[in-house]
Amino acid sequence: MLLDACDLHKSYGERQAVAGLTFQVAAGEIFGLLGPNGAGKSTTIKMLAGLVRPDRGSVRVAGLELARSACEAKRLVGIVPQELAVYPGLSARDNLAFWGELYGLSGRRLAERIGAVLEVVGLAERGREPVERFSGGMQRRLNLAIGLIHEPRLLLLDEPTVGVDPQSRNRIFEGIEQLSRAGMAIVYTSHYLEEVERLCRRVAIVDGGRLVAEGTPAQLQSGAGHGLVVLTVQQPLEETAGALAALAGVVGVHQEEGSGRVTIAAERPQQVLVAALEVLGKAEIGVLGVQLIESSLEAVFLQLTGRSLRDES
Ligand SMILES: Nc1ncnc2c1ncn2[C@@H]1O[C@H](COP(=O)(O)OP(=O)(O)OP(=O)(O)O)[C@@H](O)[C@H]1O
């Protein structure tokens, strides 16, 4: 395994950000870390990159223990943080040269790497322009190129498409797929299901710093076996919650405080939706919104955590 993360823990004061994460990623694999805001994804990525020291647990990259061989191991790792690491006044090429020199690259080798990473992110034609003229999506693509400049074997991507236009998003996806085909191990964090479903062969669902499920997107979905009915109601359910829970096929009812959102996990969500609307109608509870989620990672996530992936965003 190219990456071996074992029993990672990290607290900030009283707050436990990561509480015992273990996973491995092979060369050529794109591994998804999926979880809502605050799940501990960024803290995990920072521990994998050697930027934050775990309170407990270990990280091995290509067999090298990060805590013991920090310099050697860190050279094998590229990180693309959520925050942009670009100098707006410099051109894309000069930004890449700056970062490349920090990794000890120079001369022809540096020029080759700059050319190669600009190709991967689709910015080869724009390399000489000052970055302040780039769109937000192009700046994010340059951020990705910076993470690749020293030719790492493991790439850590922390929500690389947040706030990115569709064209840049596609370009980022294509770049990542190309890198994976070339044998790079990739960890991709996101709270966008469609992204991990498209990119990742294996996904870990994290919540509250813990791994709540792991598998291929298909395995996770088939394990769940049922879908969800999500309703937005006008007033609290009170005893009506019991009536919903008693409907045939209903596995669980979850009410989110304050938002009026009610999530019903069910074996036959379409039939349950019809029956639930009838129950709510009789109880004179107004329904403002209805959403049906057939078996999907979103359904798996809600069942496992009782929360939507995008609660707070
Ligand atoms: N430097 C820090 N000091 C104190 N608390 C922190 C710090 N960094 C993260 N936390 C807390 O640790 C928890 C996990 O945060 P983290 O940023 O790892 O989550 P995340 O899954 O990446 O979330 P997001 O999707 O919002 O980036 C949160 O409760 C967060 O407030």
Side-chain angles (χ1 to χ4, degrees), residues 12 15-17 35-44 82 158-159 191:
Y12 295 105
R15 180 174 293 139
Q16 203 164 27
N37 294 131
K41 305 180 298 293
S42 296
T43 305
T44 303
Q82 271 182 34
D158 196 1
E159 305 198 24
H191 55 253

Side-chain angles (χ1 to χ4, degrees), residues 19-37:
L21 280 188
T22 296
F23 57 90
Q24 286 91 30
V25 185
E29 183 176 30
I30 308 175
F31 180 72
L33 270 182
L34 186 65
N37 294 131

Side-chain angles (χ1 to χ4, degrees), residues 75 96-114 149-150:
R75 291 194 68 82
L96 289 163
F98 171 80
W99 289 102
E101 281 163 12
L102 284 184
Y103 279 104
L105 298 175
S106 61
R108 224 169 71 191
R109 176 85 186 115
L110 177 60
E112 268 169 25
R113 287 302 303 153
I114 291 174
I149 191 72
H150 59 298

